[in-house]
Amino acid sequence: MQKNITNLKQLIRAGRGLIPASTVILNGTLVNVMSSEIYKADVAIYEDTIVAIGDVQDYTGPETKTIDASGKYLVPGLIDGHIHSECSKLSITSFAKAVVPCGTTSIVSGLDEYISVSGLEGLKEVFEEINASPLKVFWGAPYRTPYTFPQSTVAFNFNKEVHAKVQQWPECFGVWETVREYVQEEDEETLGAIEQAFKNRLPVFGCAPMARGKDLNGYLCAGVRLDHESYDHEEVVEKMRNGMHMVIRESSVTHFLKENIRAVTEVNPAFARRVSFCTDDVTATDVIEKGHVDNLVRLAIAEGVAPLTAIQMATINSAEAYRIDHLVGSISPGKIADILLVDSPETFHVNAVISNGRLVAENSKLNYKLFAPTRSSVLSSELKCAKTTKSDFEYRVDLENGQAKVLAMNVIGPFVRKRRDVILEVEDFIVRPDIEQDVLMVSVLERFGRNGNKSLAFCSGWKLKKGAMASSAAPDDNNIIVMGADAADMSLAVNHLIENGGGQVVVADGKIIEFLSLPVGGIASDLEPEEIAYRETLLTKAANQLGCDLPEPLMYMFFLPITAIPDYAITDVGPVDCIALETFDPILELVKDK
């Protein structure tokens, strides 16, 4: 994506037809997202750049490769406008194998989970990995790390001084996922990141679930350009009327497209031009079974959006929202040659993918071998924490026997946790979890060797009847999170992760039931997407056998440390009231036996 005088001269000459194209695509029907037209047109590509559309007969030379697109529609490469690829548990290489054949050629990401476990050194290794893949990543520098409030523990703290440096990097295209609470609380690290963005003319990406009225106005006055977090279409309408670009999210656990697209289909069709798509957090299983951004195009069409409009949402709208439309988002001269061959705009099945001017995928598979890089110690998965014992997961109080009134964090969907007051038994100074009342223990353990923090609280909604499950992949800080009905099983689950360098595990009756190793930073794997999908299925089945009926038990669990989600969370510093932005004591009252 870098330009210099030498390659600019070559591109100009190629655009003028003075030197032959590297590749031409013939006999296709162009979906022109710039003019909202669909018509017959050929495309000429020089190396990785589109140089002509229309009649390209004058651009063909003896060495020019030809791609026959007869019966196919030519569509720009799709853009995921906000994604934590790490939450898929796929490394960048494996993630590219999964989504590029679906037509996703660009993503916008903060790569923040990698930063939280390996800092800038690990991030630079990920950049090198990206450069070797067919997937482009438009990186936004995280507004800060950790995102949690109060501040939890991560391996690297991203602050305003770091922003002063990294915003100068060529990889940086903005400030990533600026959470409303930090703006509203006038956090100086966050405001410092925004200050640098203004100096560098970089856009500020937002994260403002349920922001309305005066809170929204204050947030917008900080200069935030777009948002991917709206819980209903009225929220979308208000944000768009106030000038925001809206990124509609349809993740593996938050299915918001059907509701949010109503802003376009029922309120104002003119909103469509500033609506784009993202998947945010997606599992390998969902990508394999449903597709990626291509699936969102099909879902939007099913909700009544015109096919051309849905394609614009997945391409040029996203590029314009993130100010990357000079590079991607359309099939037009001067843009990177990311082009899809699809069956039709209405059904939108991707048959072939051209990325950076090269045919890289056909029939839902990459057409060449893509290998992950050799991993250095920087992205190792060593968990730097001490082994646990059963007592680490027993909630002890100053009451030998009696009852405790506790606040349990009750999950209502993946991104809402509400207060649930429950009476639990106290035996031998320990507050006992109660599977009959669906109350489990949950803990987060700091795993970077910085302070040894351990938290302990109560949660509801998972319905485990026994056992435990744990994960070292847990945004936003990727400390170890463990949940269970039995303290001994919780300890076994955590110790198994420590011994094996991270992953996800389900335990019952003192035995490991299922385990997925995540050797890349303790958060991702270089396994093939199909293998990760298979392991995800086994983990979910194991949790289901313990009584959990949630659609994604481990993903619901590993979202618990995110303090931007109302109303409760838990990090290594303790359970958090996400409204008051402070830790709380889950023991509300102790009553001695009479």
Side-chain angles (χ1 to χ4, degrees), residues 13-166:
R13 292 167 187 166
R16 297 177 65 201
L18 301 177
I19 55 177
S22 309
T23 304
V24 292
I25 307 173
L26 304 178
N27 307 315
T29 301
L30 176 66
V31 178
N32 192 321
V33 296
M34 301 301 292
S35 64
S36 299
E37 297 175 288
I38 299 176
Y39 54 90
K40 289 286 185 179
D42 301 329
V43 180
I45 300 166
Y46 180 77
E47 295 184 349
D48 64 352
T49 303
I50 298 163
V51 293
I53 60 174
D55 183 356
V56 301
Q57 183 176 350
D58 293 341
Y59 291 82
T60 304
E63 303 299 322
T64 302
K65 297 177 182 178
T66 298
I67 297 174
D68 184 5
S70 296
K72 306 300 180 186
Y73 289 77
L74 307 181
V75 172
L78 307 181
I79 303 168
D80 190 322
H82 181 98
I83 186 167
H84 303 261
S85 65
E86 306 94 316
C87 289
S88 68
K89 301 177 289 296
L90 299 168
S91 68
I92 282 292
T93 300
S94 296
F95 189 74
K97 292 178 183 179
V99 304
V100 170
C102 299
T104 303
T105 53
S106 297
I107 65 173
V108 181
S109 180
L111 302 172
D112 40 339
E113 314 304 339
Y114 287 113
I115 294 169
S116 72
V117 300
S118 63
L120 297 185
E121 194 175 355
L123 176 63
K124 289 179 179 178
E125 290 192 11
V126 174
F127 284 155
E128 292 176 5
E129 183 179 0
I130 291 165
N131 291 337
S133 86
L135 180 69
K136 280 172 285 299
V137 179
F138 292 93
W139 179 65
Y143 73 99
R144 62 171 295 159
T145 59
Y147 298 158
T148 46
F149 205 125
Q151 183 170 302
S152 59
T153 309
V154 291
F156 180 83
N157 292 98
F158 214 101
N159 55 32
K160 60 180 183 290
E161 287 76 25
V162 175
H163 270 276
K165 176 172 62 174
V166 303

Side-chain angles (χ1 to χ4, degrees), residues 284-563:
T285 302
D286 263 9
V287 175
I288 297 298
E289 293 180 355
K290 301 177 182 177
H292 192 227
V293 181
D294 59 320
N295 180 51
L296 275 59
V297 173
R298 292 188 291 270
L299 290 175
I301 293 170
E303 293 304 316
V305 176
L308 178 54
T309 302
I311 292 169
Q312 288 173 318
M313 290 175 175
T315 57
I316 190 60
N317 292 11
S318 190
E320 290 178 350
Y322 285 96
R323 295 182 181 168
I324 55 176
D325 53 306
H326 61 300
L327 297 171
V328 295
S330 66
I331 300 175
S332 36
K335 305 300 190 294
I336 297 170
D338 293 346
I339 301 171
L340 314 181
L341 277 62
V342 305
D343 61 345
S344 77
E346 291 77 18
T347 52
F348 206 78
H349 294 294
V350 178
N351 301 126
V353 180
I354 297 164
S355 175
N356 301 318
R358 175 185 173 190
L359 182 64
V360 297
E362 298 174 271
N363 302 317
S364 303
K365 292 286 184 183
L366 289 184
N367 59 11
Y368 71 104
K369 294 290 186 181
L370 180 63
F371 297 100
T374 301
R375 302 294 177 183
S376 78
S377 60
V378 175
L379 276 171
S380 75
S381 57
E382 179 186 3
L383 308 187
K384 300 175 182 177
C385 50
K387 293 282 193 69
T388 65
T389 65
K390 176 183 176 182
S391 63
D392 287 310
F393 305 105
E394 295 176 331
Y395 205 108
R396 296 186 171 273
V397 293
D398 293 327
L399 176 67
E400 184 173 5
N401 292 291
Q403 293 182 321
K405 183 179 181 181
V406 308
L407 189 162
M409 299 176 288
N410 186 35
V411 66
I412 303 174
F415 281 169
V416 177
R417 276 93 61 158
K418 293 296 184 181
R419 174 172 176 162
R420 181 180 174 218
D421 292 357
V422 185
I423 304 298
L424 299 179
E425 295 300 317
V426 179
E427 300 173 359
D428 298 325
F429 301 100
I430 299 170
V431 181
R432 304 292 181 179
D434 188 339
I435 59 173
E436 297 305 319
Q437 295 191 76
D438 182 28
V439 181
L440 306 175
M441 302 305 305
V442 61
S443 175
V444 175
L445 298 86
E446 186 271 322
R447 59 104 155 178
F448 304 109
R450 299 186 70 174
N451 53 39
N453 283 349
K454 295 186 183 74
S455 63
L456 197 57
F458 304 90
C459 63
S460 295
W462 278 263
K463 301 180 183 176
L464 295 185
K465 298 302 182 184
K466 62 179 180 178
M469 51 190 189
S471 176
S472 60
D476 291 315
D477 49 29
N478 292 294
N479 285 308
I480 300 171
I481 184 165
V482 58
M483 170 187 297
D486 181 85
D489 281 343
M490 291 174 73
S491 178
L492 175 60
V494 170
N495 290 344
H496 190 76
L497 295 186
I498 294 170
E499 292 164 0
N500 289 276
Q504 294 186 331
V505 64
V506 176
V507 171
D509 301 322
K511 297 179 181 179
I512 306 300
I513 306 302
E514 292 293 344
F515 172 60
L516 168 61
S517 176
L518 298 175
V520 183
I523 59 175
S525 169
D526 289 321
L527 289 174
E528 294 296 315
E530 292 80 5
E531 179 63 19
I532 293 292
Y534 174 65
R535 301 287 183 87
E536 285 176 342
T537 301
L538 294 179
L539 285 165
T540 297
K541 183 178 179 181
N544 294 157
Q545 289 173 343
L546 299 185
C548 183
D549 60 1
L550 295 176
E552 294 286 346
L554 281 95
M555 186 171 265
Y556 273 59
M557 178 186 72
F558 78 38
F559 284 145
L560 273 172
I562 302 177
T563 61

